[in-house]
């Protein structure tokens, strides 16, 4: 059995560490790129959502390298199409002549544990260690992403933080125990401290909301955080894997969220639909200067809530940009729209500054 | 009081039920007209550009009722009597309707995993200040009307399957099957070509039939369509046509397995995607070509 899984932004490093520590035989997914996306889309049902097509592209390149089993986390209790990813992928791959097995993790800790145990046959101690390393790397990646969001608009020499980030992720991938990771962490933060930044610079803030995969995978969202950062905008984003893990662990979070969005939406609509409203309301309260909403083209939950987000945009006057992504979207088009949006955000921000 | 019901989407899931219920409660019911060009254009204009065609049409109907009634009825349909979910887009429609129109929306959550439909109907009657007796009568009348319709459908089905003509089964959601403007008059077109059509939802379920599907859908229509596909394969069917609304997320899943099932049984299969641009002529040509290939 040779395992593989879908590429997922910088978090891929954490998943690789998990499998590596478990000692299973696996093939790391190739970084998502235009070619893998195109290949995946060709094999997928055309009306299906974009993340599935991206995943398919990842699997295909791993299958060529010998992978025969796909690991995937999904939501077997959700309301949207995510539930049928494995069924569709299995069918599409089989019809193209690839015989692969799927091991599906439901979004519950118990299910994840028992499946890991089954696949790896590892001792509980090894599993514990693997999970610790996974969580440690994951936390580090997420913290670094946040750091970069803050530094990008303020760094004196453009691109420094991204250099550090690139180096950090490479190094992180090569550290195999907690101690080495901690040492590296110190080194990374030392490097970050050395970056010269302008703390007093006036910087507008923009919140990124939307579907989890498109907001977190910089390969599918054309590195939007970097683009905005380099335009002098501080990006905030709540959605990441930890956010999700916490939601599973503390169901009350869901209740709090629903209570807050009650005047706008009374029910779940599947996926991350409600989160988008919740987060936008939060950014509004914090007086942000703009919202970017990212979604896979035609995503059922996100298109359902978009009119609500637009209403909030009209109510608050907070600039709003909704970008639907799929295999046909070209980077140039996205870049132009971001540029225009940045102007709106800056105008909004400076007018606000003048008033106060 | 005047209660408006949009003749789209949820309406077709239980036609007559809502109408009969409100009428028996003593309210005046105004149904939006059969779908027409204006409704489609209006709906397309006011809806999210990436949502499915069916939703766009639905909002067109909601908009038509604006200002003409005291309440527009838009239920929040969550799960049916088998505890299966509706399409998640249904979950958002009362709140989205509220954004679009100023007329108050009359709504209640139909989640039969939590409470039977009768109780939800009672809650609606309560909102309208009806006494218990009237309410109970109205519920009974509404159910009776539904039952009548089912019985007639079953009768029609057995008549159709006995017909000598070639039979084509139409697979889709009721709001595509019975809205003749939306489906570009497909039933009439096929009829003119000498074909008997069977709408998938009219097929009575044979409960004795063993059913072990490849995927177990959590969507009510998914389960129903897969089950009835299995059922209809026991009859002499010349072909199958599946109709999807453009950008229907659920059908992107469902179609894969419906098509596979018909193809396994060597039944010719045609897939039609409909939207505001579907033209009469284009569909006609495709239907003719399809019918020509049938044995
Ligand atoms: S099932 Fe498809 S057509 Fe019906 S509302 Fe949902 S997405 Fe639209």
């Amino acid at each position: 059995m040779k395992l593989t899984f879908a590429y997922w932004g910088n978090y891929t490093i954490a998943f690789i560490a998990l499998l590596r520590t478990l000692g299973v035989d696996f093939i790391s997914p190739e970084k998502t790129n235009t070619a893998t996306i195109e290949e995946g889309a060709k094999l997928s049902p055309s009306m299906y959502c974009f993340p599935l097509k991206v995943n398919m592209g990842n699997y295909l390149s791993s299958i060529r390298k010998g992978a025969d089993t796909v690991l995937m986390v999904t939501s077997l209790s959700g309301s949207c199409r995510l539930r049928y990813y494995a069924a569709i992928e299995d069918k599409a791959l089989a019809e193209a002549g690839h015989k692969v097995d799927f091991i599906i993790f439901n979004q519950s800790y118990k299910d994840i544990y028992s499946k890991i145990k089954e696949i790896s046959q590892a001792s509980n101690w090894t599993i514990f260690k693997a999970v610790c390393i996974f969580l440690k790397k994951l936390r580090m990646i997420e913290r670094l992403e946040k750091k970069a969001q803050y530094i990008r608009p303020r760094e004196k020499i453009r691109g420094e933080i991204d250099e550090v980030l690139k180096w950090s992720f490479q190094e992180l991938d090569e550290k195999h125990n907690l101690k080495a990771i901690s040492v590296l962490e110190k080194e990374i933060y030392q490097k970050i401290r050395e970056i010269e930044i302008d703390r007093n610079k006036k910087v507008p803030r923009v919140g990124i909301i939307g579907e989890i995969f498109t907001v977190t995978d910089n390969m599918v969202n054309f590195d939007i955080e970097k683009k905005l950062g380099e335009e002098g905008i501080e990006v905030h984003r709540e959605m990441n894997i930890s956010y999700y893990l916490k939601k599973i662990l503390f169901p009350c979070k869901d209740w709090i969220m629903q209570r807050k969005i009650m005047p706008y939406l009374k029910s779940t609509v599947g996926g991350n639909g409600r989160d988008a409203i919740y987060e936008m309301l939060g950014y509004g309260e914090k007086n942000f200067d703009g919202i970017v909403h990212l979604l896979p083209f035609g995503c059922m939950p996100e298109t359902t809530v978009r009119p609500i987000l637009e209403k909030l945009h009209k109510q608050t006057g907070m600039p709003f940009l909704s970008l639907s992504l799929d295999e046909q979207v070209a980077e140039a088009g996205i870049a132009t729209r971001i540029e225009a949006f940045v102007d709106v955000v800056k105008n909004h921000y400076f007018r606000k500054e003048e008033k106060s | 009081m005047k209660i408006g019901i949009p003749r789209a989407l949820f309406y077709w899931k239980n036609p007559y039920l809502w109408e009969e219920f409100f009428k028996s409660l003593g309210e005046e019911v105004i149904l939006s007209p059969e779908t027409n060009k204006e409704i489609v254009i209006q709906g397309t204009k006011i809806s999210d550009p990436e949502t499915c065609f069916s939703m766009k049409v639905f909002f067109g109907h909601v908009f038509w009722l604006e200002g003409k009634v005291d309440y527009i009825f838009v239920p929040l349909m969550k799960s049916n009597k088998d505890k299966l979910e509706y399409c998640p887009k249904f979950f958002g429609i009362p709140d989205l309707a509220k954004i679009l129109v100023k007329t108050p929306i009359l709504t209640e959550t139909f989640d039969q995993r939590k409470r039977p439909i009768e109780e939800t109907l009672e809650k609606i009657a309560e909102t309208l200040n009806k006494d218990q007796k009237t309410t109970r009568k109205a519920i009974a009348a509404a159910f009776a009307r539904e039952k009548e319709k089912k019985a007639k459908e079953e009768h029609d089905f057995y008549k159709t399957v006995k017909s000598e003509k070639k039979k084509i089964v139409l697979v889709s959601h009721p709001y595509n099957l019975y809205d003749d403007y939306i489906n570009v008059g497909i039933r009439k077109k096929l009829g003119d070509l000498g074909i008997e059509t069977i709408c998938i939802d009219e097929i009575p379920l044979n409960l004795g039939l063993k059913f072990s599907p490849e995927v177990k859908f959590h969507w009510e229509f998914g389960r129903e369509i897969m089950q009835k596909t299995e059922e209809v394969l026991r009859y002499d069917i010349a072909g199958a046509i599946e109709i999807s609304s453009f950008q229907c997320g659920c059908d992107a899943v469902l179609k894969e397995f419906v098509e596979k099932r018909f193809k396994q049984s060597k039944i010719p299969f045609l897939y039609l995607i409909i939207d505001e641009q579907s033209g009469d002529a284009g569909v006609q040509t495709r239907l003719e070509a399809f019918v020509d290939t049938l044995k």
Side-chain angles (χ1 to χ4, degrees), chain A residues 36-219:
Chain A
T36 63
I37 292 178
E38 199 181 306
E39 197 187 13
K42 228 182 250 161
L43 224 59
S44 312
S46 64
M47 274 213 299
Y48 221 97
C49 38
F50 184 44
L52 178 126
K53 298 176 183 174
V54 178
N55 291 355
M56 285 285 276
N58 299 142
Y59 300 151
L60 283 171
S61 71
S62 297
I63 289 169
R64 268 197 298 274
K65 291 179 197 150
D68 56 22
T69 305
V70 170
L71 296 182
M72 76 172 295
V73 182
T74 184
S75 147
L76 294 179
S77 57
S79 297
C80 81
R81 286 183 272 181
L82 181 58
R83 228 170 140 133
Y84 303 105
Y85 264 42
I88 293 287
E89 290 170 347
D90 193 9
K91 177 172 179 281
L93 286 172
E95 281 168 4
H98 305 290
K99 191 67 212 102
V100 284
D101 289 324
F102 276 79
I103 298 177
I104 303 158
F105 295 89
N106 198 3
Q107 284 179 8
S108 96
Y109 287 113
K110 222 178 100 211
D111 189 60
I112 293 178
Y113 168 77
S114 60
K115 295 248 169 74
I116 285 186
K117 182 95 191 156
E118 202 185 305
I119 303 161
S120 66
Q121 305 284 339
S123 65
N124 278 348
W125 168 243
T126 312
I127 294 180
F128 178 72
K129 214 169 61 185
V131 170
C132 284
I133 293 182
F134 167 74
L135 289 175
K136 174 80 192 167
K137 287 200 176 182
L138 182 68
R139 270 234 315 280
M140 252 173 88
I141 295 162
E142 290 176 346
R143 273 187 67 197
L144 286 172
E145 285 178 345
K146 284 208 157 60
K147 263 266 171 278
Q149 292 166 352
Y150 178 82
I151 294 177
R152 270 190 209 111
R154 295 179 171 86
E155 61 189 0
K156 294 237 164 97
I157 304 167
R158 186 193 262 198
E160 268 196 302
I161 182 67
D162 282 294
E163 280 296 313
V164 175
L165 232 53
K166 201 171 145 211
W167 172 84
S168 308
F169 292 147
Q170 259 164 19
E171 290 292 310
L172 186 60
D173 199 22
E174 281 155 25
K175 300 289 175 281
H176 305 321
N177 61 61
L178 287 172
K179 191 141 172 269
I181 298 172
S182 293
V183 173
L184 173 68
E185 189 172 19
K186 287 207 188 79
E187 234 177 294
I188 294 173
Y189 279 95
Q190 184 51 39
K191 276 192 194 276
I192 291 180
R193 268 191 298 276
E194 283 162 14
I195 298 176
E196 236 188 303
I197 58 169
D198 178 358
R199 278 185 197 281
N200 301 320
K201 188 170 169 192
K202 293 213 174 302
V203 171
R205 293 172 307 165
V206 163
I208 295 197
I209 61 174
E211 186 274 334
I212 186 163
F213 180 66
T214 35
V215 301
T216 50
D217 190 317
N218 56 338
M219 301 311 290

Side-chain angles (χ1 to χ4, degrees), chain A residues 109 138 142 146 212 237-250 253 257 272 274-276 278-279:
Chain A
Y109 287 113
L138 182 68
E142 290 176 346
K146 284 208 157 60
I212 186 163
R237 155 168 64 82
E238 279 178 51
M239 190 69 81
N240 56 28
I241 297 186
S242 301
Y243 174 97
Y244 236 79
L245 293 176
K246 276 187 213 143
K247 260 180 97 170
I248 305 172
L249 207 55
F250 307 109
K253 276 193 172 297
M257 175 168 86
N272 314 118
R274 290 179 305 158
D275 301 76
Y278 178 75
E279 287 161 22

Side-chain angles (χ1 to χ4, degrees), chain A residues 306-349:
Chain A
R306 187 157 51 190
I308 300 175
L309 304 177
E310 267 158 9
K311 182 183 166 189
L312 289 176
H313 153 63
K314 285 197 194 103
Q315 275 176 356
T316 57
M318 218 175 5
F320 177 72
L321 173 69
S322 180
L323 292 175
S324 305
L325 303 170
D326 72 3
E327 70 276 15
Q328 279 155 29
V329 170
E331 175 151 21
I334 295 288
T336 330
R337 293 187 62 192
I338 293 177
E339 246 169 70
F341 177 70
V342 166
D343 287 340
V344 178
V345 167
K346 286 189 173 160
N347 277 335
H348 179 87
Y349 175 72

